[in-house]
Amino acid sequence: MPANTYQQGRIKQVFSDKNAQTSYLISQLTLAEKIGQMSQFNNDAENLHNAIKQGNVGSVINEVDPDTINELQRIATQESRLGIPLLIGRDVIHGFNTIFPIPLGQAASWSPDVIELCAKIAAVESSNSGLNWTFAPMIDVSRDPRWGRIAESLGEDPFLCSTLAIAMLKGFQGDKLSDPHSIAACAKHFAGYGASESGRDYNTTNIPENELRNVHFPPFKAVAEAGISTFMTSFSDLNGVPATGNKWLLNDILRTEWQYPGFVVSDWASITQLITHGFAKDENAAAYEACNAGVDMEMATDNYAQHLPSLINSEKISIEHIDAMVSRILRLKIDIGLFDNPYAANSTSSKQLNSFHLAVAKQAAIKSCVLLKNDKHTLPLSKTAIDSLAIIGPLADDGYEQLGTWAFDGNAEHSITCLEAIKAYVKDSIKVKFAIGMETSRSNHQDGFDEAVNTASDADVAVMILGEEAILSGEAHCRSNINLPGCQEALIDAIYQTGTPIVLVIMAGRPITLATILPKVDAVLFAWHPGTMAGPAITELLFGEDCPSGKLPLTFPRTVGQIPLYYGQKNTGRPASESTFIDINSINVRAPQTSLGMTSTHLDTHYSPLFPFGYGLSYSQFEYKNINVDKYSINMGESLKIAATLRNIGKVDAEEVVQLYIRDLVASVTRPVKELKGFQRVYLKAGQSKSIVFDLHTDELAFYNRQMTLTTETGIFHAWIGGSSDTELKTEFEVILPSE
Ligand code: GLC
């Protein structure tokens, strides 16, 4: 059947274009059916089949069985009056059956190409099951690792988050939404959710407009411009107006300023929660506030179904407003091609978890791991120099926990754990002995310590695989302390006492405060939650089959008391510096109440992070030299080249993520002391060097000023190139107005 043909039993029309098809459908729909299109119900909703038949359902969430989905679509297209197909939505966040590293881990790969491929595979596997809409990417910029959902985010930086979000979007939506293996994506949670106070989920956010526009909006604006199909509102109260009822956000910004054409879905019951917020007095008011603000589709609750008819009949909401909302929903269904074929591209084993999907999952995990410490070249381990290996820890052999949060449709049975992979790799060349040490990562019982200590004492090296179980990260799973949970630090200390070198592998959904245990371990590989192929990926890194190349997508604080701590901070009027930090132990007792330093620091913790944004070691070493610009002054509207020489001065071929940062020294609003403006993943053989060049246009220096206008201002800029945000290799350039 040719595209834009609408056939439902009795009605066969061929439309000149999608707008004509949309308008025709709007003209045919009753008010009840229009409100039906604005309603998404969970797959376990009562009388779902009948509701679909009555035309009261526009979308179903959380159904993943292909046969069930096909039956729902059959009812919708063959038994309802107008035969409008359903959007079938699911949280396909970091994989469907093949689970990739959690998004925060994928962000640590700084590899848009790998991230796009992971999303594409997720789209193939989920569309095979009949899904056509995912609630991803989650692009909340977050700087608070106490927040459980930081695991779902792409880190602390607007530029990195924007770049990687576009890669995910391309993977999900492909070149054509109508491709059977493309699925619609969803930018969430709009907006500012990552700034939930105290890192407690669903908590209040107070974000000045300038901060919203310069930090939290950029990833959303980037994916809106890149064609993302839908947006999802946040649960959170944004400056006193919950995002789900925030007309300034959904209409003035998204629709009017950004001219976004896609549709907005609420979060789960977030319309009803407007009552809990104290923003709507009842469900009728909640339906009004959300609809009036611009929420096109309601997820999981039925305030729209119950109250929009009366709101429209009483003309509180106009039918034109409803028609515009329903048009956006119908247009997506047309764009996806659901009117031509709404059915699952029936899943075949070759498409799910096949060798290619698993190979990509392993590569993604390899690129996402960040080497934080490697004293005395403890890593890579040598199969010939080691006779015995102790594998210790509750996450060493747990195929479920390594999947991480939001891995709904993954299956632990498909996982390859670290213990399994290490044993398979070393075979008989090394004696491997496993001791779990603790029942779970949260356990406070030291019953397993003796066995672990004995195992380590008999080994040449102890590989400890610790961290957070999946349940300790993700939605509503926030922590007031971000150290290793349970008695893991005590377990590390017990193994440390044996004198056996320790390689610590951490699986977690957030930065962990490691300062206490860092001196006791020889190497640290931070693996996030690496997914189905955690074992092979970590094994290949531990034994040098591949070289760690991940870089931190967010800052690791020394203590939880430093939060929020991020590289792109403002300078303040009294910036901390080495010269003014005063350690609390260096203060004489009865010191006079004089100003101790008078700078922005804490007396009891050094102001610097434990590990900075962009940091990550390699098995090789990289040298950066000769930073330069091709011209010192550039006219507004022009570009300049910023370059540096990178050299692999180590003994192994390796990849490095080269980063470009700038600073706008003086501007009409204060600007961050550093801003990431570019990065390149570069492979160099041992001894090889290469000039790394970044092109930078003055538009890329723009920010929202006091008038909330996006602008680049003239003046002097600093620029850095390096392998971490704390790089000191700096140059300078000036932006000037072109001479008349
Ligand atoms: C959840 C999350 C949202 C998710 C939705 C559907 O509560 O906030 O990210 O997509 O509900 O599961």
Side-chain angles (χ1 to χ4, degrees):
M1 185 186 298
N4 290 338
T5 299
Y6 169 63
Q7 170 148 0
Q8 186 274 340
R10 307 178 298 286
I11 307 170
K12 179 174 167 47
Q13 300 263 357
V14 179
F15 294 93
S16 55
D17 64 33
K18 295 179 178 178
N19 291 330
Q21 185 172 358
T22 306
S23 304
Y24 172 77
L25 289 169
I26 290 288
S27 70
Q28 299 298 306
L29 286 162
T30 64
L31 176 59
E33 289 166 335
K34 289 176 181 175
I35 295 170
Q37 288 302 308
M38 298 168 71
S39 305
Q40 177 185 70
F41 291 108
N42 200 44
N43 65 328
D44 65 357
E46 270 185 64
N47 299 321
L48 182 61
H49 286 198
N50 187 49
I52 293 171
K53 188 173 179 179
Q54 297 306 317
N56 297 332
V57 182
S59 173
V60 173
I61 177 176
N62 288 330
E63 184 53 63
V64 293
D65 173 67
D67 296 334
T68 306
I69 288 172
N70 283 344
E71 176 56 10
L72 297 177
Q73 293 287 24
R74 187 198 63 76
I75 295 169
T77 53
Q78 303 306 320
E79 294 188 15
S80 77
R81 190 177 74 85
L82 286 174
I84 297 174
L86 300 164
L87 287 170
I88 307 290
R90 178 72 161 177
D91 293 287
V92 184
I93 306 298
H94 55 107
F96 187 64
N97 297 141
T98 305
I99 301 299
F100 303 103
I102 54 172
L104 190 59
Q106 290 187 39
S109 74
W110 295 54
S111 299
D113 54 335
V114 172
I115 289 169
E116 180 177 344
L117 188 50
C118 291
K120 174 131 195 71
I121 290 170
V124 168
E125 292 186 354
S126 54
S127 58
N128 275 328
S129 297
L131 295 175
N132 48 50
W133 184 20
T134 179
F135 307 117
M138 188 274 217
I139 50 181
D140 304 312
V141 172
S142 181
R143 294 156 168 185
D144 193 329
R146 294 170 296 183
W147 189 47
R149 303 199 76 162
I150 205 163
E152 278 178 83
S153 79
L154 295 169
E156 74 180 41
D157 180 72
F159 178 88
L160 182 65
C161 184
S162 301
T163 306
L164 303 183
I166 288 171
M168 274 190 183
L169 162 61
K170 288 178 180 172
F172 287 133
Q173 297 193 173
D175 297 330
K176 276 195 319 173
L177 257 181
S178 57
D179 181 305
H181 285 138
S182 293
I183 57 176
C186 182
K188 71 183 190 181
H189 307 80
F190 196 50
Y193 188 21
S196 297
E197 282 183 352
S198 78
R200 273 191 295 129
D201 209 351
Y202 318 119
N203 205 0
T204 304
T205 62
N206 286 302
I207 311 170
E209 184 177 345
N210 196 257
E211 177 86 352
L212 269 175
R213 287 180 176 277
N214 286 320
V215 175
H216 298 277
F217 281 176
F220 287 95
K221 193 163 187 286
V223 294
E225 289 165 354
I228 199 160
S229 300
T230 62
F231 267 55
M232 181 188 292
T233 60
S234 163
F235 288 122
S236 42
D237 176 336
L238 175 61
N239 300 331
V241 181
T244 302
N246 194 314
K247 187 163 186 175
W248 171 77
L249 187 67
L250 303 180
N251 184 66
D252 302 358
I253 299 293
L254 188 61
R255 297 275 176 234
T256 306
E257 188 174 316
W258 296 0
Q259 290 293 298
Y260 177 64
F263 81 79
V264 176
V265 64
S266 76
D267 201 337
W268 187 281
S270 65
I271 293 178
T272 304
Q273 287 162 21
L274 294 178
I275 303 167
T276 319
H277 274 288
F279 184 72
K281 69 177 179 4
D282 56 25
E283 290 178 350
N284 184 280
Y288 170 76
E289 292 292 353
C291 186
N292 183 54
V295 178
D296 301 304
M297 183 182 280
E298 177 174 13
M299 179 187 284
T301 44
D302 64 351
N303 298 286
Y304 278 8
Q306 297 299 327
H307 300 283
L308 280 187
S310 63
L311 288 168
I312 293 157
N313 293 334
S314 61
E315 296 182 352
K316 277 193 167 179
I317 297 275
S318 73
I319 191 61
E320 291 73 22
H321 186 71
I322 295 296
D323 285 353
M325 296 177 123
V326 178
S327 296
R328 289 192 279 264
I329 295 167
L330 293 172
R331 181 56 192 264
L332 178 57
K333 295 185 176 184
I334 294 167
D335 287 345
I336 294 177
L338 293 181
F339 285 91
D340 303 325
N341 176 11
Y343 298 110
N346 281 331
S347 65
T348 60
S349 58
S350 66
K351 293 248 186 202
Q352 313 296 100
L353 276 155
N354 61 35
S355 57
F356 173 65
H357 295 182
L358 292 172
V360 172
K362 183 177 83 171
Q363 267 311 307
I366 285 172
K367 290 186 180 292
S368 68
C369 290
V370 182
L371 184 62
L372 296 178
K373 179 178 181 180
N374 191 23
D375 283 3
K376 302 184 291 263
H377 299 292
T378 303
L379 291 176
L381 301 174
S382 157
K383 275 206 293 192
T384 53
I386 295 172
D387 296 326
S388 60
L389 204 53
I391 308 294
I392 296 167
L395 299 178
D397 193 32
D398 192 322
Y400 177 82
E401 299 304 346
Q402 69 189 49
L403 299 180
T405 186
W406 290 105
F408 285 130
D409 304 297
N411 186 330
E413 289 165 19
H414 300 143
S415 293
I416 302 177
T417 68
C418 290
L419 181 63
E420 290 166 340
I422 290 171
K423 283 182 172 176
Y425 179 79
V426 302
K427 297 185 179 61
D428 302 331
S429 62
I430 297 178
K431 185 162 63 71
V432 175
K433 196 167 176 213
F434 172 56
I436 193 167
M438 300 165 57
E439 195 181 338
T440 73
S441 76
R442 288 167 287 156
S443 167
N444 278 306
H445 303 299
Q446 303 195 6
D447 312 356
F449 278 30
D450 288 350
E451 182 197 16
V453 166
N454 295 335
T455 303
S457 302
D458 299 342
D460 296 323
V461 177
V463 176
M464 300 186 75
I465 304 177
L466 304 173
E468 292 178 324
E469 289 143 57
I471 194 68
L472 294 178
S473 86
E475 183 174 351
H477 300 150
C478 306
R479 298 178 61 205
S480 64
N481 260 305
I482 56 171
N483 43 15
L484 285 170
C487 55
Q488 293 183 75
E489 291 189 3
L491 179 60
I492 290 171
D493 191 57
I495 303 304
Y496 171 68
Q497 300 302 330
T498 68
T500 300
I502 297 173
V503 171
L504 174 60
V505 178
I506 296 177
M507 293 187 187
R510 56 165 53 84
I512 299 290
T513 40
L514 297 168
T516 312
I517 57 103
L518 211 51
K520 299 173 183 172
V521 299
D522 301 86
V524 179
L525 186 70
F526 207 88
W528 315 98
H529 283 117
T532 305
M533 295 298 277
I538 290 168
T539 299
E540 292 196 12
L541 289 170
L542 293 180
F543 288 92
E545 295 294 335
D546 215 311
C547 182
S549 58
K551 298 284 187 179
L552 295 180
L554 73 186
T555 301
F556 275 48
R558 295 174 185 275
T559 65
V560 72
Q562 287 183 291
I563 294 169
L565 185 68
Y566 47 97
Y567 88 93
Q569 61 187 5
K570 301 297 186 70
N571 202 34
T572 77
R574 292 174 180 253
S577 69
E578 286 305 339
S579 61
T580 61
F581 175 64
I582 294 178
D583 185 296
I584 204 164
N585 301 313
S586 67
I587 299 169
N588 297 326
V589 290
R590 289 187 291 283
Q593 184 46 49
T594 55
S595 53
L596 289 171
M598 292 288 276
T599 62
S600 178
T601 184
H602 295 109
L603 286 180
D604 51 1
T605 303
H606 194 276
Y607 58 86
S608 61
L610 185 64
F611 297 108
F613 175 85
Y615 177 88
L617 300 175
S618 167
Y619 290 154
S620 198
Q621 291 77 42
F622 290 95
E623 175 194 69
Y624 288 82
K625 291 173 82 170
N626 309 326
I627 188 168
N628 61 84
V629 289
D630 63 346
K631 48 195 167 195
Y632 178 79
S633 297
I634 57 166
N635 287 329
M636 193 68 75
E638 287 182 351
S639 295
L640 85 160
K641 292 186 187 304
I642 308 175
T645 304
L646 175 70
R647 184 180 180 83
N648 180 343
I649 58 174
K651 296 185 174 58
V652 293
D653 303 347
E655 278 195 320
E656 169 74 335
V657 178
V658 182
Q659 301 150 48
L660 169 70
Y661 296 90
I662 61 102
R663 179 182 179 182
D664 190 343
L665 291 183
V666 179
S668 58
V669 292
T670 54
R671 303 300 302 132
V673 294
K674 269 183 182 159
E675 292 178 77
L676 179 71
K677 289 297 178 186
F679 60 90
Q680 297 176 34
R681 215 175 223 277
V682 180
Y683 177 85
L684 289 183
K685 290 190 171 307
Q688 186 186 1
S689 66
K690 183 178 179 185
S691 175
I692 310 297
V693 184
F694 290 94
D695 279 311
L696 190 68
H697 189 279
T698 55
D699 288 351
E700 296 173 79
L701 305 173
F703 61 92
Y704 285 88
N705 62 14
R706 275 176 259 179
Q707 290 71 39
M708 303 307 158
T709 307
L710 186 62
T711 182
T712 299
E713 295 177 356
T714 57
I716 294 174
F717 289 76
H718 285 167
W720 294 262
I721 290 178
S724 171
S725 60
D726 63 356
T727 176
E728 295 179 353
L729 188 65
K730 180 171 78 175
T731 186
E732 187 174 292
F733 64 91
E734 184 180 19
V735 174
I736 59 176
L737 292 176
S739 50
E740 276 65 27

